[in-house]
Amino acid sequence: MDPMAKSGTTTQGLRAAIERSGYYPALVAEAVEAAVGGEPISSYLVHQETTFDSNEVRRHVTVLVLTGNRFIVSHTDEQAADAGSPSPYATTSTESVKIGAISSVVLSRVVANPESYTPGTLPREVVLTIGWGAVSRIDLEPAACGDPNCDSDHGYTGNSTADDLSLRVSEAGDGPEAVRQTLSFAQALSEATAAAGSAGAR
């Protein structure tokens, strides 16, 4: 029996989405399967990004999976031949995060013609940012006081932002279904983190 198909239609849908991406599907599916194990999948998102580096085209695929207890993120990149490898190669990494460890789920929406917006209309673009404390970005700037004539050194001020993962999905570049799936996954993840927070507060 195909191990990726054993959890029913949601897992089958994930396998189909990985295959549709056309990006080393056997490699990506095996890595995701190993990370998920036997847990049922409640939601998923497969996102492929193509970048241009000098004369090379490089692809990157991100797979996000939500189970009852964990958030799993998988990245696969292709690399050109280099001094260490005479032939092109790909690298795949997976990370498993407890739902309760997720500190923020930020969804930014870009909507055209907001003055005539109708509820339920698909955004032109969405950016999903998820933080769980593995990576933090610190933005600093010189601190100042209210006196415009003051030239004293007040040190620095700033803020720290959890920014472990950020995905930009647009209707023009990725298609409306990709935007719809991103919205669905963001909602499922937000609900899961809220439920985990409520359970932890008891």
Side-chain angles (χ1 to χ4, degrees), residues 95 97 101-104 130-136 162-164:
E95 183 173 1
V97 182
I102 295 177
S103 56
S104 66
I130 306 168
W132 57 90
V135 177
S136 295
D163 192 14
D164 295 292

Side-chain angles (χ1 to χ4, degrees), residues 82-162:
D82 54 30
S85 175
S87 59
Y89 60 98
T91 58
T92 300
S93 65
T94 57
E95 183 173 1
S96 176
V97 182
K98 290 183 179 179
I99 295 295
I102 295 177
S103 56
S104 66
V105 179
V106 181
L107 183 68
S108 302
R109 305 169 185 239
V110 178
V111 177
N113 304 313
E115 70 281 357
S116 58
Y117 176 76
T118 302
T121 301
L122 208 59
R124 185 176 69 189
E125 177 183 311
V126 293
V127 179
L128 175 61
T129 304
I130 306 168
W132 57 90
V135 177
S136 295
R137 184 180 70 249
I138 301 177
D139 298 316
L140 294 176
E141 61 182 23
C145 66
D147 183 357
N149 298 315
C150 178
D151 58 2
S152 298
D153 183 358
H154 295 283
Y156 288 86
T157 185
N159 56 67
S160 176
T161 307

Side-chain angles (χ1 to χ4, degrees), residues 63 78 94 104 118 123 129 145 155 165-166 169 176 188 202:
V63 180
E78 62 181 358
T94 57
S104 66
T118 302
T129 304
C145 66
L165 176 72
S166 186
V169 181
R202 293 194 191 113

